[in-house]
Amino acid sequence: MRVSKCDPRLAKMLIEQYGGADGELSAALRYLNQRYSIPDKVIGLLTDIGTEEFAHLEMIATMVYKLTKDATPEQLREAGLGDHYVNHGYSLFYHDAAGNPWTAAYIASKGDPIADLYEDIAAEEKARATYQWIIDNTDDPDIKDSLRFLREREVIHSLRFREAVEILKEYQGSKKVF
Amino acid sequence: MTVDGNLPEWRPYVNYRSPFDPCSARVKWYDVPPEVTHPVQKSARKQYAPQEALRKGTLWPEYDSPYPPA
């Protein structure tokens, strides 16, 4: 992960994708939990995407860490991270940009395959939008590069969940390559 | 209405304005990304070269959605 400037203010926003409702932790746990009760045809998809989300979680963690590790307590305070510093020091924590701690209530699982997949599609679109709003808030070209990549992955995940819905509808006439 | 292959991915909209709105008017945009307009992949699509695909986050130009939009 490349980060070109010390910007703890951006770390405060990025943490949304670490411990927020539509963040990578929520996504990984949501999919890896749903896969037990989803029809066999789409278990592999949930395993695949859920695992990828953990890799994205590591990318976000690395960005947040690099943006804050050499900042002084004063710089953290100016970035709005004074409360975080008092509670967690330089460590990361699973909370959103507003400081709300991560909760399992973010993990949707209804046990109804169609309802769960639509939930997953919505989660991907929300994560895509979140990345847009974060990109709008930085001018660091390296961070922007990484965030654009992560946003595009949300696009592809949403696409694949939409296809999973089609598979469950058994509506696909011809053989498709996924 | 056909699948909107010809409409741009980003579409403008303007909110209602009252005579007393404090901020100046601004056009906003919303994204209708490619997975929404083409929710099922067709076979035999164009592919990016592996290195380019890794950078972009997708193998398929059809599903490449740059941000900010070009």
Side-chain angles (χ1 to χ4, degrees):
Chain A
M1 293 308 317
R2 288 248 179 92
V3 174
S4 37
K5 73 173 193 190
C6 175
D7 185 5
R9 188 195 56 93
L10 181 60
K12 184 172 161 57
M13 297 181 214
L14 270 177
I15 208 80
E16 181 70 25
Q17 284 301 80
Y18 193 64
D22 310 313
E24 304 291 353
L25 180 71
S26 303
L29 297 181
R30 181 184 299 116
Y31 307 147
L32 294 180
N33 178 64
Q34 284 176 1
R35 73 195 157 133
Y36 294 101
S37 49
I38 209 94
D40 286 0
K41 279 179 176 175
V42 296
I43 290 175
L45 177 66
L46 287 172
T47 308
D48 185 10
I49 297 181
T51 308
E52 187 182 337
E53 305 291 10
F54 273 129
H56 295 169
L57 187 70
E58 286 191 86
M59 291 172 68
I60 298 293
T62 305
M63 283 185 247
V64 170
Y65 177 64
K66 286 194 173 190
L67 286 165
T68 53
K69 73 185 178 76
D70 296 315
T72 62
E74 190 184 3
Q75 283 175 314
L76 291 179
R77 201 163 59 241
E78 282 163 5
L81 286 169
D83 302 354
H84 183 104
Y85 180 69
V86 167
N87 198 348
H88 306 291
Y90 285 98
S91 70
L92 279 71
F93 193 68
Y94 294 111
H95 56 197
D96 67 14
N100 304 304
W102 187 86
T103 160
Y106 295 155
I107 304 301
S109 199
K110 193 51 72 176
D112 177 273
I114 295 295
D116 281 350
L117 284 170
Y118 276 119
E119 184 82 42
D120 300 346
I121 291 166
E124 294 292 340
E125 300 298 347
K126 286 188 278 181
R128 170 182 60 74
T130 306
Y131 278 121
Q132 289 166 200
W133 311 152
I134 300 173
I135 290 169
D136 290 344
N137 271 288
T138 178
D139 52 7
D140 181 328
D142 290 321
I143 291 265
K144 271 193 171 178
D145 246 19
S146 305
L147 295 181
R148 280 196 208 106
F149 169 87
L150 290 169
R151 178 184 169 280
E152 178 64 29
R153 293 313 295 156
E154 311 294 348
V155 167
I156 298 300
H157 292 168
S158 171
L159 167 68
R160 298 188 70 199
F161 285 132
R162 286 163 198 271
E163 288 173 335
V165 171
E166 297 307 309
I167 288 170
L168 293 191
K169 279 156 76 179
E170 288 188 316
Y171 148 176
Q172 295 199 308
S174 60
K175 195 178 166 195
K176 306 239 163 41
V177 181
F178 294 109
Chain B
M1 177 106 178
T2 56
V3 175
D4 34 6
N6 296 322
L7 288 177
E9 181 177 329
W10 285 83
R11 323 227 169 130
Y13 67 103
V14 182
N15 291 118
Y16 167 78
R17 282 188 63 74
S18 87
F20 307 111
D21 285 353
C23 304
S24 48
R26 193 168 67 86
V27 176
K28 290 163 201 147
W29 299 79
Y30 65 96
D31 189 9
V32 183
E35 80 278 13
V36 176
T37 42
H38 311 289
V40 176
Q41 301 177 63
K42 295 187 291 263
S43 53
R45 283 152 298 135
K46 277 190 191 145
Q47 297 184 14
Y48 288 122
Q51 279 305 319
E52 196 180 8
L54 273 175
R55 272 195 70 79
K56 285 182 182 291
T58 179
L59 186 56
W60 318 107
E62 190 181 346
Y63 292 101
D64 186 15
S65 163
Y67 188 86

